[in-house]
Amino acid sequence: MKYRAAVRRRSEPIADIRKILIVEDSKTFAKALRKLLAEEIGLPIVSCASLNELHEVVTEEPEAYGIAVVDLNLPDAPDGEAIDFTVQRGIPTIVFTGSFDLQTRSRIMERDVIDYVLKNNEFALDTLVTAVKRALSNREMRILVVDDVTTARKHLARMLAVQQYSVIEAGSGTEALALLEANPDIQIVVSDYNMPDINGYELTRKIRRLVGPDKLRVIGVSSTTDIAVSAGFLKAGANDFISRPFMPEELQCRIANNADTLLQLKQLQELASRDYLTGLFNRRHFFENGPKLIKTVQARPSSTVAVLDIDHFKQLNDTHGHDIGDRVLELVARCLKDAVEGTGNLLARLGGEEFVILFPGMNPAAAMRFSDHLRLDISHATLQVGAETISVTASIGVAEADPEDSFDHCLRSADQALYAAKQQGRNRVCLAAA
């Protein structure tokens, strides 16, 4: 299975398709790690067992590696020289080590590495794979760092950049708000408290008036010894607070936890908006987002809605059973998805055998042509059930979405046109009367 850094559906490619480099002298450990990474992530993997081999493979393909997993101690590199080699060549590096103490930690953390993982327990391999996944997914996460003190801001930004996050900097609260407006893909804001124009509390309040915590996380930071500052940030709407000076591991974990929360919320929202059988958007999503889409294109000539119904679906269910009926629904959904994907049109399953498409900015004549192509595609699709080949047809009703009318009224008009298509013999497209 392949890992994806963005929405995390395994069917989609990750942003960086370069190779993963494993530097490990234990053949057993390297083999097991290679197998897990191949299963979970699916990127090409290159292994080497010494600093000398590492030199060779990187010299041959200096730009080939998107991330490296490097053992701290190798026979020909006992003091972390392999880590220095990958870091100096700009390869993001995760360290693993069989022994660990404060001195070892210092040796690792003084280098610009993403993370370190101990391999002295049964969960080491899984932890290491998770660290690689996180580093790849971090590249899709944009973070805004807000601090009027340049040195402090640059230091924090660098720490986050090492973690592979995409970082933007702001020197004031006012600049931060402007950057948020210009970059709606920002997902985490890390803000200092003491700033001359807008303090961290007020900036957090202003952000919360614009964006909810399910879309953007706010983390307060401060070097003050006043323990009330953290409470002030949280009461203003922040999701977390970190005290300076930063413990790198704590900073890493808190940022990662907030990033994970955003991903989980996005996944829940995605599940709530999808039809369980076909994977298309569901009725709720369509009714929540359809009116918004129409409003965004009011300057264009018009928008149109098409309601589609599978002909004789009840008879098909009664004859072949609900399992075959479900397969027919999936077949029709695939035809619709293939035609609509990438067009900007909104496709959903309303329920039962009924589907709907909103064509924002498309006039009725164009929507009729589009719908008739859909009708033909569906009529040519077949489902093999044992020795029998099943084919279906669909009737479609099309109606113009008048911005002055309610969304419900538009759908009722499309329903009436659908009824007319059924009455006229099915397997046809009808336009609602003006």
Side-chain angles (χ1 to χ4, degrees), residues 12 42 70 88 236 251 276 316 404:
E12 297 178 9
V70 183
Q88 287 168 8
L251 175 69
Y276 75 99
L316 185 146
E404 301 302 319

Side-chain angles (χ1 to χ4, degrees), residues 205-400:
R205 293 189 190 99
K206 288 179 180 292
I207 290 172
R208 278 293 165 254
R209 293 188 195 110
L210 300 170
V211 191
D214 61 325
K215 297 289 191 300
L216 187 145
R217 311 294 282 182
V218 178
I219 302 173
V221 296
S222 179
S223 57
T224 182
T225 57
D226 185 355
I227 59 175
V229 171
S230 61
F233 263 112
L234 296 174
K235 283 183 172 294
N239 304 101
D240 207 344
F241 177 82
I242 312 173
S243 294
R244 282 190 169 112
F246 300 122
M247 177 79 166
E249 294 94 328
E250 180 188 10
L251 175 69
Q252 173 191 339
C253 289
R254 287 186 182 275
I255 298 289
N257 287 342
N258 278 278
D260 283 347
T261 298
L262 280 176
L263 176 62
Q264 290 161 9
L265 289 169
K266 184 175 183 179
Q267 290 172 335
L268 287 172
Q269 290 165 354
E270 181 77 2
L271 286 171
S273 68
R274 293 285 177 178
D275 171 56
Y276 75 99
L277 177 65
T278 63
L280 302 181
F281 286 122
N282 57 23
R283 183 186 189 93
R284 174 185 171 184
H285 180 90
F286 185 79
F287 276 88
E288 284 181 354
N289 291 276
K292 299 174 189 175
L293 265 179
I294 291 176
K295 287 181 180 178
T296 63
V297 296
Q298 281 185 9
R300 300 186 198 174
S302 60
S303 294
T304 318
V305 170
V307 176
L308 178 149
D309 187 274
I310 301 173
D311 295 329
H312 304 297
F313 186 73
K314 183 180 184 303
Q315 181 181 332
L316 185 146
N317 261 337
D318 292 342
T319 303
H320 298 281
H322 290 283
D323 287 345
I324 300 304
D326 285 350
R327 289 176 62 187
V328 168
L329 288 169
E330 291 172 324
L331 176 69
V332 171
R334 282 197 299 273
C335 289
L336 297 174
K337 184 179 179 182
D338 288 346
V340 170
E341 197 165 27
T343 63
N345 302 318
L346 178 60
L347 167 66
R349 181 187 176 195
L350 287 180
E353 68 272 28
E354 198 168 57
F355 301 84
V356 63
I357 307 170
L358 172 63
F359 302 100
M362 185 183 291
N363 63 46
M368 287 285 287
R369 289 193 296 271
F370 193 105
S371 298
D372 201 52
H373 285 302
L374 285 176
R375 180 190 63 79
L376 286 170
D377 288 345
I378 292 167
S379 68
H380 293 152
T382 59
L383 180 68
Q384 198 66 35
V385 180
E388 185 178 358
T389 299
I390 295 176
S391 59
V392 296
T393 61
S395 300
I396 305 175
V398 176
E400 187 171 4

Side-chain angles (χ1 to χ4, degrees), residues 42-157:
L43 291 178
I45 299 170
V46 173
S47 297
C48 50
S50 67
L51 180 61
N52 186 50
E53 286 184 38
L54 176 61
H55 272 273
E56 289 180 6
V57 298
V58 173
T59 302
E60 287 175 6
E61 295 183 286
E63 304 298 326
Y65 301 100
I67 193 164
V69 183
V70 183
D71 192 357
L72 177 64
N73 304 119
L74 297 169
D76 61 345
D79 296 314
E81 293 90 343
I83 301 169
D84 292 333
F85 182 85
T86 54
V87 170
Q88 287 168 8
R89 279 151 185 80
I91 304 173
T93 302
I94 296 172
V95 177
F96 55 97
T97 176
S99 59
F100 191 77
D101 52 33
L102 290 177
Q103 185 178 2
T104 303
R105 177 193 173 276
S106 297
R107 286 171 58 200
I108 295 171
M109 297 309 296
E110 68 188 13
R111 298 165 165 96
D112 285 333
V113 299
I114 297 171
D115 199 1
Y116 61 83
V117 175
L118 308 185
K119 59 176 179 179
N120 59 356
N121 63 78
E122 59 185 302
F123 305 110
L125 283 171
D126 290 332
T127 304
L128 198 48
V129 171
T130 299
V132 174
K133 284 184 175 182
R134 185 181 301 285
L136 292 172
S137 66
N138 285 354
R139 296 170 184 179
E140 303 299 318
M141 179 72 63
R142 179 165 283 194
I143 298 180
L144 174 61
V145 176
V146 191
D147 197 324
D148 64 311
V149 180
T150 304
T151 53
R153 185 178 72 248
K154 295 290 183 185
H155 176 64
L156 176 54

